[in-house]
Amino acid sequence: MAATYSFDIVSDFDRQELVNAVDQTEREIKSRFDLKDTQTTIELGEEAITVNTDSEFTLDAVHTILQTKAAKRNLSLKIFDYGKVESASGNRVRQEIKLRKGISQEIAKQITKLIRDEFKKIQGSIQGDSVRVSAKSKDELQQIIQRLKQEDLPVALQFTNYR
């Protein structure tokens, strides 16, 4: 019997790197001249980041800083799901940035359909919030990884448990 090889496609991020990126963002907000007196707060929760600041202009500046710090720490910007900007007390604005983790059912179906259509001998199966891909050759699995990296999906993909 021939051996089969497999890997999992997941969407996850390194929590500690995110903590470090948010911490660096806070420090830069406190030290930047244009943001120093805005009393901007940025809080990292379990599933979201909450930004509270005095205007939409400073909110955009905070977004830019956060994205720069996240990118330097090899975090995909696709993990940030920006909510709508709400007005808070005292002419301030608040925004919740949800953190995307896991592959939704629709995207998992889209990935397995792509695998079925383009690679006939390879099986893709949805397992919760990840997709398991198995084949008889490691080369075929490498081709799938390369193909999925070309695809522009709304989530950040990682390839784990390669065996």
Side-chain angles (χ1 to χ4, degrees), residues 62-81:
V62 171
H63 285 182
T64 304
I65 296 168
L66 179 63
Q67 290 171 353
T68 304
K69 300 299 180 188
K72 282 184 181 176
R73 297 195 154 276
N74 293 328
L75 292 170
S76 173
L77 299 182
K78 293 179 180 182
I79 67 171
F80 300 125
D81 184 14

Side-chain angles (χ1 to χ4, degrees), residues 16-82:
Q16 187 58 51
E17 291 295 343
L18 182 65
V19 168
N20 293 342
V22 170
D23 186 45
Q24 287 181 333
T25 303
E26 274 184 73
R27 281 195 222 144
E28 186 164 331
I29 289 168
K30 289 176 183 159
S31 67
R32 264 183 50 170
F33 183 75
D34 59 337
L35 299 174
K36 205 180 262 186
D37 297 328
T38 60
Q39 296 166 354
T40 300
T41 61
I42 181 167
E43 298 172 19
L44 175 61
E46 202 58 38
E47 296 180 4
I49 300 171
T50 306
V51 179
N52 191 335
T53 189
D54 66 348
S55 70
E56 289 196 35
F57 176 74
T58 54
L59 186 65
D60 287 341
V62 171
H63 285 182
T64 304
I65 296 168
L66 179 63
Q67 290 171 353
T68 304
K69 300 299 180 188
K72 282 184 181 176
R73 297 195 154 276
N74 293 328
L75 292 170
S76 173
L77 299 182
K78 293 179 180 182
I79 67 171
F80 300 125
D81 184 14
Y82 297 97

